[in-house]
Amino acid sequence: MKHLPIITLFLFAWGCTSGVKQNIVDANDLEVLTDIQKTQWVKAYLEQDTVLLDKLLHEHFQLIDDNGDRYTKQDELSYVGKYGPSYNSLEFQILEVDIVEIGSAVVLAKGTMKGLEGDEAYITTYTSSTSFVKIDKQWKALNSHVSGVKEERFPMAPSD
């Protein structure tokens, strides 16, 4: 009788997972995740496309910035809709994509933002890790973490 709670817990856990497809990953998911990070994510932020961003982010999305501050999906949508980007370009170099067969993935990327501020050009680089879940055949960003932010500034030559 003393093992009954353990057996009950095991049967409950098994019953919860027995109907779940264990392999929902497709052969093209690497390409899809790369496109989300390198193309769709960039488009959403550069063009303030909150409709696209809403489609990319899971309802429980959280962003943790380089200061450790947390933002929800609604915070991010509101910010992007209200404020245009201060940079002129945003690019991602994919460092690694880890896909788990049950429908989760982590994309590690190096972001590069370039822009102008006053009489200086700048380049800001950072590393991001974004966790994705696959729901109804669609990848959604569940959380994103930014770290290692570095900024370089370059004086602009005066125009005559």
Side-chain angles (χ1 to χ4, degrees), residues 28-39:
N28 68 339
D29 281 335
L30 176 61
E31 183 179 325
V32 170
L33 287 161
T34 299
D35 179 64
I36 289 171
Q37 186 74 52
K38 291 182 80 169
T39 306

Side-chain angles (χ1 to χ4, degrees), residues 56-71:
L56 298 176
L57 303 181
H58 188 277
E59 288 305 309
H60 299 288
F61 175 81
Q62 287 191 39
L63 169 69
I64 301 173
D65 70 11
D66 59 314
N67 293 319
D69 296 323
R70 291 176 31 186
Y71 301 94

Side-chain angles (χ1 to χ4, degrees), residues 46 62 118 152:
L46 279 176
Q62 287 191 39
E152 296 179 81

Side-chain angles (χ1 to χ4, degrees), residues 25 29-30 33 94-101 103-108 130-132 139:
V25 174
D29 281 335
L30 176 61
L33 287 161
I94 302 298
L95 303 175
E96 187 174 337
V97 178
D98 294 315
I99 300 172
V100 181
E101 293 165 348
S104 64
V106 176
V107 177
L108 302 175
T130 304
S131 301
F132 289 87
W139 287 101

Side-chain angles (χ1 to χ4, degrees), residues 65-124:
D65 70 11
D66 59 314
N67 293 319
D69 296 323
R70 291 176 31 186
Y71 301 94
T72 66
K73 176 180 181 174
Q74 290 308 313
D75 294 333
E76 196 66 4
L77 290 172
S78 176
Y79 181 84
V80 169
K82 192 180 289 184
Y83 303 103
S86 59
Y87 45 86
N88 299 334
S89 72
L90 172 61
E91 296 178 356
F92 285 102
Q93 172 191 358
I94 302 298
L95 303 175
E96 187 174 337
V97 178
D98 294 315
I99 300 172
V100 181
E101 293 165 348
I102 59 171
S104 64
V106 176
V107 177
L108 302 175
K110 178 181 178 183
T112 302
M113 298 182 298
K114 296 178 183 177
L116 300 171
E117 187 174 281
D119 61 349
E120 292 183 314
Y122 67 87
I123 298 174
T124 302

Side-chain angles (χ1 to χ4, degrees), residues 4-21:
L4 185 58
I6 293 172
I7 293 169
T8 303
L9 180 61
F10 171 78
L11 290 173
F12 174 77
W14 180 77
C16 289
T17 61
S18 63
V20 174
K21 272 186 163 177

